[in-house]
Amino acid sequence: MAHGHDIQQWLKQHRMKGIKLLQRLVQEPSRRGQEGKAQALMAETCRELGLSIDLWEIGDEKLRNHPNFYCDRTDFSGNPNLVAVKKGKGGGKSLILNGHIDVVPEGNLTDWQEDPFSGMVQDGKVFGRGTTDMKGGTVSLILALEAIISLEIELKGDVIFQSVIEEESGGAGTLAAVLRGYHADGAIIPEPTNMKLFPLQQGSMWFRLTIKGKSAHGGTRYEGVNAIELAMDVINEITKLEKERNDMLNHPLYKTIPIPIPINIGKISSGEWPSSVPDTAVIEGRFGIAPAETMEAAERALEDCIARLNTGNEWFQAKPIELELFGARWLPGNLELNHPLMQTISESFLAVKGKQPVIEAAPWGTDGGYLSNIGGIPVVVFGPGKTELAHDADEYIEIDKVIEAAEIIALSIINWCGTAEPAVYEGGTENET
Amino acid sequence: MAHGHDIQQWLKQHRMKGIKLLQRLVQEPSRRGQEGKAQALMAETCRELGLSIDLWEIGDEKLRNHPNFYCDRTDFSGNPNLVAVKKGKGGGKSLILNGHIDVVPEGNLTDWQEDPFSGMVQDGKVFGRGTTDMKGGTVSLILALEAIISLEIELKGDVIFQSVIEEESGGAGTLAAVLRGYHADGAIIPEPTNMKLFPLQQGSMWFRLTIKGKSAHGGTRYEGVNAIELAMDVINEITKLEKERNDMLNHPLYKTIPIPIPINIGKISSGEWPSSVPDTAVIEGRFGIAPAETMEAAERALEDCIARLNTGNEWFQAKPIELELFGARWLPGNLELNHPLMQTISESFLAVKGKQPVIEAAPWGTDGGYLSNIGGIPVVVFGPGKTELAHDADEYIEIDKVIEAAEIIALSIINWCGTAEPAVYEGGTENET
């Protein structure tokens, strides 16, 4: 594989530059609504690489009226989306490199050993909110691109780098990029997969159930109808639905997963006084969507379950359970395991790591759902972070993994987009010794 | 029954005085911590009747160290307890007349058609917070006493009128009166029984269960342990305990009650995010205590149930359910149906109403629990208000009922405490025509 050794050497020499970029990115707390400064840093980085920059505030009518726009945010001013394009010579396949700039809130400060936005480097790791999810992955993308550009490798196909907002809240940033016309023959999203390849992603939607009982004094509780007891019946019914849905799945990647598409009961709240029979219970949860399922089919499955409860029970006939689908949603992703993009990344992985990558189904949705379902773009999720560190205190990423992912992605770009010369790799197992 | 006609005539003539006293009492919003002004009015009323007044701020060490002091209030200054005694000639039985001055909060003002503290009179009713629970009953007590005093009926036994604070929050006011040494051969509490006699009262205590699960992402919910699911198991176990406890009861007054001593699950709260497996669930409830049961036995029953869960289940062995008994408690009451005090009140009722009273078990606790369990005083709860109006918006009491209850209580005082002349009633069924 030509360029392999050069890429590896370049990354070795510019490791410090990658660490510094990641530190500066972490030091901009790009929580929802505060993405502007981190995006400015990304835009400046892309400009220095000579990419053509498209920096725009999302939220136009086309986006807001899209049937798959699941977003409660109305103000996007000052916090733009970024797309930066490196045009190819022509005749090659194009590739989107997609990373989200938004991070989830840091949570309770006392849970952190250090300032969540310090970007501290220790023991070969960069610490801070967003390191693993997913500024570390974004730095891998930038390093891969910079290596190719610095080494003057001429690509045939276009590379379309995207730094989007709103992924953590449902993906309006990527949807906006799709609707703006950015398309490609494939896409890589370096979300934290722990260096595994995720061709499938579980989608999800949130639901809220409001269940009505009848109040009474606790001393005569038989005169009321306890909303908590009703909620328990509803939860049991939802658990049955979960079993039915999962029994129908038979994808090979799901053979060892206990519940491939779970329905999670995440929240319950009912009652105000120990001595009163509560008259209302509210349940909130997350409904897992199968990779090959449409959002609409998933909605129907949940609606039908609640409708069955509402017709099959005298109490619910009088006081029907209310179902709301609210908040964020993530479309599923479903790429064939033998898709050429999978082959390209797997070969690059083998060249760099000297072994085949682990291939799994993602238990969560990503912006890949919009790219594939709305944009029609084949997506593989592959990145250097660890899933289990995402959204947690003391989040960190291993610097070696950021560099390795950059190398694998650089080779994938070269081989997917194509170059004048064939690639020969010369330093394959150097990292394994 | 001597004096019967005189009492009835006196009450007819002084009906307006009773209404005015009730209005003035309602116009003092004696919420918890604000009982002072209403107590001053009660003290002044008792002083005018020539009773000997004991007005004191509760909260001494003896009270606070009592094992049955279930109270989170520390400041009682400016809001005294009142006991006012009418000494008898000697040789008769003594009687406590106990009413609480505190009222529950008025709740949402928009639920009320009028100012909750207006004391408005309309259609033969006085409206406002505390009318039915239980300032109306207290006015019946005062009218009964005033009639006897005005008619110069000489009693042999003492009458001990008590206007206490803190009933709605567990009864520290009555406990303080017991510990101060006030004792009698019987007691009447005119809580809102809708003119029924309640010789039994269900006691109650509050409990809180904290159940620990294990957090995980909803997409891999099988990696966590859902605290809501655990809570459902715990609730099912508590429902079994409720059934066992109620199956053991065989008191005749409970024959038609579906669940004589319910365990009410009043509150549940778990989870913070639809997409996360919740790691903690908190349940709060009210544990009904049988009339003949001790508080300690009830505590043990609940503790044993939770201990069984904690030992019988591997998860709970590692993460035991935490049980707290918190907040207010009401001791149960358990008078024999043929107790002489029951007979006295029943006979007075028959004389006034021309029919036998309805006898039931109270589904809630009263200060009678302290009088009987701690003071060893036989207690009957009997009053003019309607249970179902207590604690509700647009609370009211029927003036006719206040006057009728006063008449029945006056006759009960006369017959219980004894007089020089035997009683012959002359105007028995006048109210029934």
Side-chain angles (χ1 to χ4, degrees):
Chain A
M1 216 181 260
H3 310 300
H5 185 66
D6 296 343
I7 296 274
Q8 197 174 71
Q9 282 303 108
W10 189 94
L11 286 171
K12 209 174 236 176
Q13 287 156 13
H14 295 83
R15 179 184 174 96
M16 207 56 221
K17 195 172 179 187
I19 296 171
K20 288 232 167 103
L21 175 60
L22 179 52
Q23 287 185 293
R24 286 179 62 200
L25 277 174
V26 171
Q27 285 157 5
E28 298 297 350
S30 49
R31 306 177 196 95
R32 193 181 196 199
Q34 298 165 294
E35 305 93 338
K37 285 188 182 169
Q39 288 290 66
L41 179 55
M42 290 311 304
E44 177 56 18
T45 303
C46 291
R47 200 194 52 75
E48 285 171 2
L49 290 178
L51 309 183
S52 55
I53 308 289
D54 183 7
L55 197 66
W56 81 103
E57 286 174 1
I58 73 168
D60 64 8
E61 221 166 274
K62 193 173 170 192
L63 177 69
R64 283 184 284 110
N65 292 338
H66 193 277
N68 294 99
F69 177 71
Y70 312 116
C71 182
D72 57 0
R73 178 168 169 184
T74 52
D75 184 11
F76 299 95
S77 59
N79 297 292
N81 244 7
L82 168 67
V83 174
V85 177
K86 176 177 163 48
K87 283 296 284 182
K89 292 250 144 187
K93 283 182 286 190
S94 56
L95 187 64
I96 284 173
L97 303 174
N98 176 292
H100 67 81
I101 199 70
D102 54 313
V103 297
V104 295
E106 62 274 26
N108 201 333
L109 276 186
T110 57
D111 293 340
W112 289 78
Q113 300 205 18
E114 297 286 332
D115 172 7
F117 301 104
S118 69
M120 178 185 69
V121 175
Q122 200 170 59
D123 301 331
K125 298 163 185 164
V126 181
F127 284 82
R129 171 58 78 236
T131 45
T132 204
D133 185 13
M134 63 172 281
K135 288 172 174 174
T138 295
V139 168
S140 296
L141 297 180
I142 292 291
L143 286 175
L145 269 175
E146 192 169 350
I148 290 168
I149 291 165
S150 301
L151 295 170
E152 296 177 356
I153 300 168
E154 295 281 0
L155 299 175
K156 289 199 232 163
D158 299 345
V159 179
I160 301 154
F161 172 81
Q162 304 184 330
S163 177
V164 297
I165 64 171
E166 282 291 299
E167 193 276 341
E168 296 289 358
S169 305
T174 289
L175 178 59
V178 170
L179 298 180
R180 201 167 172 92
Y182 290 104
H183 188 271
D185 299 310
I188 296 174
I189 304 182
E191 288 270 13
T193 69
N194 205 13
M195 305 296 280
K196 297 172 185 173
L197 270 57
F198 288 177
L200 308 189
Q201 298 107 48
Q202 186 190 143
S204 66
M205 60 184 187
W206 286 354
F207 62 93
R208 181 184 294 125
L209 298 171
T210 304
I211 297 156
K212 295 275 180 193
K214 181 170 170 288
S215 189
H217 188 280
T220 52
R221 77 171 192 84
Y222 42 85
E223 288 173 359
V225 178
N226 193 316
I228 297 172
E229 287 177 27
L230 295 175
M232 287 165 61
D233 295 342
V234 172
I235 290 171
N236 286 332
E237 209 57 37
I238 287 175
T239 306
K240 277 188 215 162
L241 173 67
E242 183 193 56
K243 189 173 180 327
E244 282 165 25
R245 285 171 55 77
N246 282 279
D247 284 351
M248 293 186 317
L249 289 182
N250 58 2
H251 194 284
L253 284 195
Y254 281 140
K255 269 189 185 145
T256 59
I257 310 288
I259 312 173
I261 48 167
I263 308 178
N264 183 60
I265 304 296
K267 237 175 133 173
I268 186 169
S269 167
S270 179
E272 290 172 343
W273 196 245
S275 290
S276 293
V277 174
D279 69 352
T280 306
V282 177
I283 295 170
E284 287 180 10
R286 172 197 180 279
F287 194 90
I289 301 167
E293 192 174 23
T294 64
M295 190 63 83
E296 292 68 32
E299 282 179 27
R300 221 163 30 240
L302 181 54
E303 282 163 1
D304 288 352
C305 171
I306 301 306
R308 275 197 306 276
L309 274 162
N310 281 341
T311 51
N313 170 306
E314 212 168 303
W315 180 262
F316 291 138
Q317 281 168 16
K319 305 225 178 199
I321 304 161
E322 285 167 35
L323 166 64
E324 288 167 81
L325 300 171
F326 75 106
R329 298 197 196 180
W330 288 265
L331 290 165
N334 190 34
L335 193 67
E336 313 90 82
L337 301 189
N338 59 357
H339 187 277
L341 184 60
M342 284 292 286
Q343 289 173 6
T344 295
I345 302 173
S346 295
E347 283 163 17
S348 302
F349 188 98
L350 177 64
V352 172
K353 300 278 288 177
K355 59 183 178 187
Q356 290 292 343
V358 176
I359 297 172
E360 281 185 4
W364 24 257
T366 68
D367 275 356
Y370 277 130
L371 292 177
S372 59
N373 287 281
I374 311 300
I377 303 163
V379 177
V380 175
V381 181
F382 162 73
K386 283 187 183 168
T387 302
E388 59 270 30
L389 299 175
H391 301 207
D392 217 341
D394 296 331
E395 181 179 344
Y396 68 84
I397 196 161
E398 294 172 48
I399 296 163
D400 282 350
K401 290 278 164 53
V402 174
I403 304 297
E404 263 183 17
E407 193 179 348
I408 294 165
I409 290 168
L411 294 184
S412 299
I413 294 170
I414 291 166
N415 285 303
W416 182 259
C417 298
T419 58
E421 320 96 284
V424 180
Y425 191 69
E426 294 152 13
T429 54
E430 195 164 306
N431 283 338
E432 306 294 314
T433 56
Chain B
M1 216 180 266
H3 310 298
H5 185 67
D6 295 342
I7 297 273
Q8 194 171 75
Q9 282 303 109
W10 189 95
L11 286 170
K12 207 175 239 176
Q13 287 157 14
H14 295 83
R15 177 184 175 95
M16 205 56 220
K17 195 173 178 186
I19 295 171
K20 288 233 166 100
L21 175 59
L22 180 51
Q23 287 186 293
R24 286 179 63 201
L25 277 174
V26 172
Q27 285 158 7
E28 299 296 353
S30 49
R31 307 176 195 94
R32 193 181 198 201
Q34 298 165 294
E35 305 94 337
K37 286 188 181 171
Q39 287 291 68
L41 179 56
M42 289 312 303
E44 176 57 18
T45 304
C46 291
R47 200 195 51 76
E48 285 171 3
L49 290 178
L51 309 183
S52 55
I53 307 290
D54 183 6
L55 198 65
W56 81 103
E57 287 174 1
I58 74 168
D60 64 8
E61 222 165 273
K62 194 173 168 191
L63 177 68
R64 282 183 285 113
N65 292 337
H66 194 276
N68 295 101
F69 177 70
Y70 311 117
C71 182
D72 58 358
R73 180 168 169 183
T74 51
D75 183 11
F76 300 96
S77 60
N79 297 292
N81 243 8
L82 168 67
V83 174
V85 178
K86 178 179 163 46
K87 283 296 284 181
K89 291 254 147 187
K93 283 181 287 190
S94 56
L95 186 65
I96 284 173
L97 305 173
N98 175 292
H100 66 83
I101 198 70
D102 54 313
V103 298
V104 295
E106 62 273 27
N108 201 334
L109 275 185
T110 56
D111 293 341
W112 289 78
Q113 300 204 17
E114 298 284 334
D115 171 8
F117 301 104
S118 70
M120 177 185 70
V121 175
Q122 200 172 58
D123 301 332
K125 298 164 185 162
V126 180
F127 283 82
R129 171 57 79 237
T131 45
T132 204
D133 183 15
M134 61 172 285
K135 289 172 172 173
T138 296
V139 168
S140 296
L141 298 179
I142 292 290
L143 286 174
L145 269 175
E146 191 168 353
I148 290 168
I149 291 165
S150 301
L151 295 171
E152 294 176 357
I153 299 166
E154 296 281 2
L155 299 175
K156 290 200 227 159
D158 300 346
V159 179
I160 300 153
F161 172 82
Q162 304 184 327
S163 178
V164 297
I165 65 172
E166 281 290 300
E167 193 276 341
E168 296 289 359
S169 306
T174 289
L175 177 60
V178 170
L179 298 181
R180 203 168 171 89
Y182 289 106
H183 188 270
D185 299 310
I188 297 175
I189 304 181
E191 287 270 13
T193 70
N194 206 13
M195 306 296 280
K196 296 171 185 173
L197 271 58
F198 289 178
L200 307 190
Q201 299 107 46
Q202 185 190 144
S204 66
M205 60 183 187
W206 288 352
F207 61 93
R208 182 184 295 128
L209 298 171
T210 303
I211 297 155
K212 295 274 180 193
K214 181 170 172 285
S215 189
H217 188 280
T220 52
R221 77 170 192 83
Y222 42 85
E223 289 175 359
V225 177
N226 193 316
I228 296 172
E229 287 177 26
L230 295 176
M232 287 165 62
D233 295 342
V234 172
I235 290 172
N236 286 331
E237 209 58 34
I238 287 176
T239 306
K240 278 187 215 162
L241 173 67
E242 183 193 55
K243 189 174 180 325
E244 282 165 25
R245 284 171 55 78
N246 282 277
D247 284 351
M248 294 185 318
L249 289 181
N250 58 1
H251 194 284
L253 283 195
Y254 281 141
K255 272 193 181 139
T256 59
I257 310 288
I259 312 174
I261 48 166
I263 308 178
N264 184 61
I265 305 296
K267 238 175 129 174
I268 186 169
S269 168
S270 179
E272 290 173 342
W273 196 246
S275 290
S276 293
V277 175
D279 69 351
T280 307
V282 178
I283 295 170
E284 288 181 10
R286 173 197 180 277
F287 194 90
I289 300 167
E293 191 174 25
T294 64
M295 190 62 81
E296 292 67 32
E299 282 178 26
R300 222 164 27 241
L302 181 53
E303 283 163 1
D304 287 353
C305 171
I306 301 306
R308 275 197 305 276
L309 274 163
N310 281 342
T311 52
N313 171 307
E314 211 168 306
W315 180 261
F316 291 138
Q317 280 169 16
K319 304 226 177 199
I321 304 161
E322 286 167 35
L323 165 65
E324 287 167 83
L325 300 170
F326 75 106
R329 298 197 196 180
W330 288 266
L331 290 165
N334 189 36
L335 194 67
E336 315 86 86
L337 301 188
N338 60 357
H339 188 277
L341 184 60
M342 283 292 288
Q343 291 173 7
T344 297
I345 303 173
S346 294
E347 282 163 17
S348 302
F349 188 98
L350 178 64
V352 172
K353 301 278 290 178
K355 59 182 177 187
Q356 290 292 342
V358 176
I359 297 172
E360 282 183 5
W364 23 258
T366 69
D367 274 355
Y370 276 129
L371 291 177
S372 58
N373 286 283
I374 310 300
I377 304 162
V379 177
V380 175
V381 182
F382 162 73
K386 284 187 185 168
T387 302
E388 59 270 30
L389 299 176
H391 301 205
D392 217 342
D394 295 331
E395 181 179 344
Y396 69 82
I397 195 161
E398 293 172 48
I399 296 162
D400 283 350
K401 291 277 163 56
V402 173
I403 304 296
E404 265 183 16
E407 193 178 350
I408 294 164
I409 290 167
L411 295 184
S412 300
I413 294 169
I414 292 166
N415 286 304
W416 182 257
C417 298
T419 58
E421 321 96 284
V424 181
Y425 193 68
E426 296 153 9
T429 56
E430 195 165 303
N431 284 337
E432 305 292 317
T433 55

